[in-house]
Amino acid sequence: AVGVGVEYRVSKVALERNISAINPFTLQVADVGHIALNSDEINDDFGWNVGLMFRPSETWSVGVSYRAPITIDYEGEADFQQISTGNAQFDGLVAAGFPPDQKIKTSVDFPGIASFGIATTAIPTWTFEFDAVLMTWSEFETLVVDFENPSTPDLVNEENWEDSWSY
C-alpha cells in the first residue's frame, strides 16, 4: 500500500526571557528587564508526507513513513519591561538605553519525521509490533528574532539540537 498526503500545521510563538547587564557600581550581573515575544495570530504552513506498507505474508507487515520538515514564519510584538534593581542611578542608565516595544519577525524549523515499523499476528488474537521514529531536530540550528527597530540588536539563539530516536 502507498499513501501520500498534505499536512497543514498551525502554531503560535510565545517566548520570554530576562535581560541582564553588569551593574557598573557593583560589577555584578543584574536582571534589568524582561522581554515577552508573541506572534500576532496563529501562523500556518503546509507540508507533505508519504507512507508505504508491505505485507509479505498473512501474519507480517512492514511499514515506513516520512513527514517532511516545515518552516513557519511568524510576525508579532516584543514587549520590553524594565526591572528595578534597587539602585536609582543604575536604573536611570538602563532606562536611557532600554528598547521600546516593537514588531518582530522570526521563523521556526519543525523537524522531518521518519518512521519504520514491523508487526506480526503470528500468535492468534495478539499483535506484536516494533516501531522506530527519527525526529530530525538537527534542522533547528538557530532561532533568530528580527526586531523592527534597527537600534535593537536581533536576538540569535544557537539551538544546535540533535536528532532523536524513539522506539
Side-chain angles (χ1 to χ4, degrees), residues 2-23:
V2 176
V4 294
V6 175
E7 181 175 346
Y8 177 65
R9 184 168 297 172
V10 297
S11 64
K12 286 185 76 164
V13 165
L15 304 168
E16 294 190 33
R17 70 184 265 181
N18 281 352
I19 302 167
S20 59
I22 296 177
N23 183 329

Side-chain angles (χ1 to χ4, degrees), residues 137-159:
W137 283 111
S138 62
E139 296 173 23
F140 186 43
E141 295 177 356
T142 58
L143 176 66
V144 178
V145 177
D146 178 27
F147 292 99
E148 177 183 56
N149 186 334
S151 65
T152 304
D154 290 344
L155 175 65
V156 179
N157 277 350
E158 295 294 328
E159 301 298 338

